[in-house]
Amino acid sequence: MPNPTEAQTRREKIDPLLKEQGWDVNNRFQVVLEVDTKQSDFVSMDYKTVSETLKNDEESKYVDYLLLDSTGAPLAIIEAKRTSKDPYIGQRQSEEYADDIKRQTGKDVFIYLTNGEQIRFWDKSRYSPRLVKGFYSRRDLERLRFQTSFGEVQRNIEIKPAIIDRSKGIECAKRVIEHIHRGNRKALIVMATGTGKTRVAMGIIDFLMRENLVQKVLFLTDRKALRDQAFNKGYKVFFPEESKERILSGNYDQSKRLYVSTIQTFQEIYLQRTNGVYNLSTGEFDLIISDEAHRSIYHKWRDIFTYFDAMQIGLTATPANLIDRDTFRFFGCHDGTPTALYSYEEAVEDGVLVDFRRGIVSAQTHFKIHGITPQDLTEGERQRLIDRGF
């Protein structure tokens, strides 16, 4: 179909995308179509549709889709355009619909702008619209609403000293948290090996969870040793009361809060589909941390990071001047400067690391000093040297 109408776009493209994440457009307990945002009573959940108000004389405005939470209250709206149109042209309309709802309920609703090909998600109280790979499930939207309602940005960033006990590590954690507080959703931390990258990550997770800005975290590594280190020396030590899981196979318990996995194992989970549909919504996680990020975000692994609509923090020990430009760009560092940096040279100067050159000991062996005489060799060794012309 060369130029489908808006109705066709909705029926053939948008409705199936919603169904992928459990939204049934025919179930009025989940989705209500063509809702009049002027004449509906959103507090009492009395949703008037176009068929009920089109012919009366009162003012009307119709939102294409109203997504409901598990209690039947407004959760999100979708402004749809035909495929040939840019979904952004519906931004002003959608904002008016959302404002109508907020005037009654006192609460923001999430906004989707889509033409069936592109989907833009607008968490209006915190961010600008952003491109996403799919709709959130109801459960994930409800979790996100909790964060927008009860999340509280703390001006005084206090990192627990039990987690990070070095001043530079605390500084790196604070830089990233401040960066996130300014509305950024990606960050890159470059820290020399042995300076405590994992602890810095744990300190950031702890603070964002205490602020209620994050509830589900996925820590990805490219090696099992790093996975076990993050779980045993990170989660188990610093989050003893939180539900957590070390993912060892394609089985995944979605009820936990903290997860760690190798990227190879999580690829199995990410690729799982039912009837051709991904089992996980784009909103499955609030924060994804990639250890050794300069290796993890490339090739087939990159799809994991681009599919999930989560805040993302990259960790690497590779010196900043050796990191590929694409790594910087991927984590939003467009000027080639990491969000937080603790170089090898700084760590040596601070006494955290010992310069490897100082650890080189010049040693000479007996043979190097005195040489080798025939008496030092066995008969077989002497014969082999003779055969080789020595």
Side-chain angles (χ1 to χ4, degrees), residues 178-224:
E178 289 168 353
H179 184 71
I180 290 171
H181 285 174
R182 290 193 294 269
N184 298 289
R185 295 179 56 78
K186 291 190 176 185
L188 178 64
I189 301 173
V190 177
M191 296 180 68
T193 299
T195 57
K197 291 194 310 297
T198 301
R199 282 198 169 209
V200 168
M202 296 299 151
I204 293 169
I205 293 169
D206 171 73
F207 192 81
L208 294 177
M209 290 182 74
R210 284 189 279 132
E211 289 185 307
N212 285 324
L213 298 181
V214 161
Q215 290 174 281
K216 289 189 73 173
V217 179
L218 173 63
F219 193 111
L220 288 174
T221 73
D222 66 346
R223 290 187 288 126
K224 293 178 180 178

Side-chain angles (χ1 to χ4, degrees), residues 168-375:
K168 191 64 179 184
I170 292 171
E171 178 187 328
C172 287
K174 286 185 174 182
R175 281 184 180 275
V176 171
I177 293 166
E178 289 168 353
H179 184 71
I180 290 171
H181 285 174
R182 290 193 294 269
N184 298 289
R185 295 179 56 78
K186 291 190 176 185
L188 178 64
I189 301 173
V190 177
M191 296 180 68
T193 299
T195 57
K197 291 194 310 297
T198 301
R199 282 198 169 209
V200 168
M202 296 299 151
I204 293 169
I205 293 169
D206 171 73
F207 192 81
L208 294 177
M209 290 182 74
R210 284 189 279 132
E211 289 185 307
N212 285 324
L213 298 181
V214 161
Q215 290 174 281
K216 289 189 73 173
V217 179
L218 173 63
F219 193 111
L220 288 174
T221 73
D222 66 346
R223 290 187 288 126
K224 293 178 180 178
L226 294 175
R227 175 201 65 193
D228 295 343
Q229 174 181 301
F231 190 79
N232 295 323
K233 296 184 178 180
Y235 286 166
K236 288 179 72 174
V237 174
F238 303 120
F239 303 95
E241 305 301 322
E242 294 290 353
S243 58
K244 61 188 74 70
E245 181 178 7
R246 176 170 46 187
I247 301 174
L248 302 176
S249 67
N251 297 319
Y252 165 67
D253 181 351
Q254 291 179 262
S255 67
K256 308 292 185 182
R257 295 190 68 182
L258 301 175
Y259 302 88
V260 62
S261 173
T262 62
I263 196 166
Q264 296 89 341
T265 298
F266 199 81
Q267 178 84 345
E268 298 177 32
I269 296 171
Y270 157 70
L271 292 175
Q272 288 175 5
R273 293 175 170 88
T274 301
N275 298 324
V277 175
Y278 284 114
N279 289 348
L280 303 181
S281 97
T282 57
E284 183 72 17
F285 301 102
D286 306 316
L287 173 63
I288 297 177
I289 293 179
S290 170
D291 201 1
E292 299 304 333
H294 63 287
R295 295 196 297 259
S296 300
I297 63 169
Y298 292 103
H299 309 300
K300 61 183 179 180
W301 315 128
R302 188 183 184 92
D303 289 346
I304 293 176
F305 297 97
T306 57
Y307 176 75
F308 292 110
D309 181 44
M311 288 187 284
Q312 297 181 7
I313 298 174
L315 308 176
T316 180
T318 299
N321 62 337
L322 298 180
I323 295 175
D324 190 280
R325 290 180 185 176
D326 286 341
T327 303
F328 283 112
R329 284 196 292 263
F330 185 87
F331 288 102
C333 304
H334 299 290
D335 61 353
T337 303
T339 315
L341 172 65
Y342 192 23
S343 68
Y344 172 80
E345 291 75 17
E346 286 180 284
V348 169
E349 186 176 335
D350 292 343
V352 174
L353 299 179
V354 175
D355 190 337
F356 69 90
R357 288 163 295 196
R358 297 177 188 171
I360 297 175
V361 178
S362 179
Q364 291 184 310
T365 65
H366 169 85
F367 292 137
K368 189 173 181 180
I369 296 171
H370 300 288
I372 301 176
T373 66
Q375 290 74 23

Side-chain angles (χ1 to χ4, degrees), residues 116-130:
E117 298 288 342
Q118 289 188 357
I119 302 174
R120 294 192 179 271
F121 179 60
W122 193 5
D123 181 353
K124 186 167 167 284
S125 66
R126 301 192 295 174
Y127 302 105
S128 300
R130 60 182 181 265

Side-chain angles (χ1 to χ4, degrees), residues 58-70:
E58 298 180 43
E59 182 184 5
S60 293
K61 283 184 181 177
Y62 300 103
V63 63
D64 295 320
Y65 299 78
L66 176 66
L67 306 185
L68 307 178
D69 68 13
S70 52

